[in-house]
Amino acid sequence: MSKPNLQIDLEYLVARSLLGLFGLLPPRSAVSLGALMGRVAFYFSVRLRRTGERNLEIAFPDLPVNTRRPFLRGCFANLGRLLGIFSQFHKDSERLKHLIEYEGLEHLKAAQEHGRGVILFTGHIGAWELSSFALSVFGYPLSFLVRRIDNPQIEALVDRARTRLGNRTIDKRSAAREMLQVLQSGGTLGILVDLNTLDREAIFVDFFGVPASTTFMVAKLALRTGADVLPVFAPWDEKRKCFLLKVDEPLIFESTGDETDDVRRLTQLYTAVAEKYVRTYPDQWLWIHRRWKTRPPGGAEIYS
């Protein structure tokens, strides 16, 4: 059901005002203020905190509560940092480069030179919006899947920021043909792989040792096109006070010819990489998302 026009206008006014105010600040100040606001929001988000606490209990059952709690506080600070850096996307890219250090772009360049297309997968760790935007800043624009925002005015605002330097967004609701076209033309495609996914678009693989409904799209596309599959993440480095754009080497995977088994094994492989990054940066993942909401047939509910 569509929203009333008044609601659309008010939501847009709030979003534009917030991004506009942050956008007036220097990039480093915007990121710092965003993190501070996120830490404050932690205390007012009771329902989200409850989800985060449950997720941390699942992921780190052997850690005491007092050890896990900073991870959840960090999650909120990370969301604020993301808001801060996103508000800077309209500015001169040279100013943003002072907040970004990159590692492994040579892996992406080599994969692109193979000419079979490249799939970059990432997760909701650090500044995931930056993982695509920063690539365009450094001269590696790509196409990537998005879920369109249900407010068309906010969607247009966000899309302009995402695509300002040559990136292209693809609506995930009708993406199959476009994704194949991108890869068959030797292009680069970005996909998020760490959210709970509907049954018809997913298979169950282990995430922190618990079956999680996970998109199989990366695996199916890679097997059908021969595209290289590379991880890309943009965590915040507190010591260096900057974001790290990290592109790792392509995943090593041998097909057996059994598509069902190959899809499952490759999906588990890139899920394990995402989990490795969460374990490395446990205070920067989206713990407030109900990652294990969809359960295997007969599986018990995880969230009350």
Side-chain angles (χ1 to χ4, degrees):
M1 187 171 61
S2 60
K3 295 180 178 179
N5 289 337
L6 178 60
Q7 182 180 352
I8 290 174
D9 291 343
L10 289 175
E11 289 176 349
Y12 173 71
L13 178 63
V14 171
R16 183 171 181 177
S17 298
L18 189 60
L19 287 173
L21 289 172
F22 271 87
L24 294 174
L25 299 172
R28 197 170 297 277
S29 298
V31 169
S32 297
L33 178 60
L36 176 62
M37 287 183 60
R39 293 187 185 98
V40 172
F42 168 83
Y43 294 99
F44 297 94
S45 307
V46 176
R47 184 178 178 184
L48 293 177
R49 286 208 315 267
R50 190 178 301 120
T51 297
E53 289 164 357
R54 179 65 177 125
N55 284 334
L56 284 162
E57 182 183 24
I58 294 168
F60 300 108
D62 297 329
L63 292 182
V65 173
N66 289 342
T67 303
R68 298 195 300 249
R69 188 168 294 125
F71 300 162
L72 188 53
R73 290 198 186 100
C75 165
F76 281 84
N78 186 67
L79 289 171
R81 262 194 307 269
L82 177 59
L83 170 64
I85 193 62
F86 189 87
S87 74
Q88 306 295 304
F89 282 9
H90 69 285
K91 293 185 175 178
D92 179 68
S93 59
E94 291 301 316
R95 297 184 66 185
L96 292 179
K97 286 181 179 180
H98 295 298
L99 263 182
I100 308 168
E101 295 185 13
Y102 63 81
E103 301 172 1
L105 283 180
E106 68 274 11
H107 302 315
L108 174 56
K109 182 178 180 182
Q112 290 177 334
E113 289 173 351
H114 291 162
R116 299 189 300 267
V118 178
I119 301 174
L120 294 174
F121 71 90
T122 191
H124 292 78
I125 301 163
W128 59 87
E129 288 282 356
L130 189 63
S131 64
S132 54
F133 189 78
L135 286 171
S136 66
V137 167
F138 290 107
Y140 294 88
L142 72 157
S143 302
F144 57 94
L145 262 63
V146 298
R147 183 183 298 278
R148 299 296 183 195
I149 300 169
D150 62 357
N151 182 312
Q153 294 183 37
I154 297 178
E155 170 59 33
L157 176 70
V158 169
D159 199 64
R160 283 195 299 272
R162 286 169 165 167
T163 60
R164 188 176 70 84
L165 296 179
N167 284 344
R168 186 170 71 94
T169 58
I170 301 174
D171 188 342
K172 67 180 301 181
R173 293 172 298 183
S174 54
R177 180 175 297 179
E178 284 189 75
M179 290 190 297
L180 281 173
Q181 289 174 345
V182 168
L183 297 175
Q184 289 170 349
S185 65
T188 302
L189 179 69
I191 303 178
L192 286 155
V193 300
D194 64 340
L195 293 184
N196 182 69
T197 307
L198 297 177
D199 292 343
R200 65 177 181 274
E201 303 168 350
I203 57 175
F204 285 95
V205 296
D206 285 348
F207 186 59
F208 284 90
V210 179
S213 185
T214 304
T215 178
F216 51 58
M217 194 58 65
V218 171
K220 286 202 170 185
L221 287 169
L223 290 167
R224 292 178 183 179
T225 64
D228 286 331
V229 179
L230 288 74
V232 58
F233 292 88
W236 172 257
D237 188 296
E238 187 61 30
K239 290 183 179 179
R240 288 189 265 184
K241 299 294 182 183
C242 68
F243 293 99
L244 301 180
L245 177 64
K246 298 167 68 71
V247 183
D248 292 341
E249 295 183 18
L251 300 185
I252 298 175
F253 180 83
E254 292 187 8
S255 172
T256 65
D258 181 337
E259 185 180 32
T260 299
D261 183 61
D262 287 344
V263 166
R264 184 174 303 280
R265 289 189 301 114
L266 185 49
T267 303
Q268 182 65 75
L269 183 59
Y270 59 72
T271 300
V273 173
E275 179 181 325
K276 180 192 73 172
Y277 268 91
V278 177
R279 290 183 180 276
T280 304
Y281 303 96
D283 59 343
Q284 296 189 44
W285 190 60
L286 194 65
W287 293 108
I288 58 177
H289 167 67
R290 295 190 169 199
R291 179 64 183 94
W292 291 276
K293 180 179 179 180
T294 301
R295 306 311 307 135
E301 292 293 328
I302 283 181
Y303 305 100
S304 57

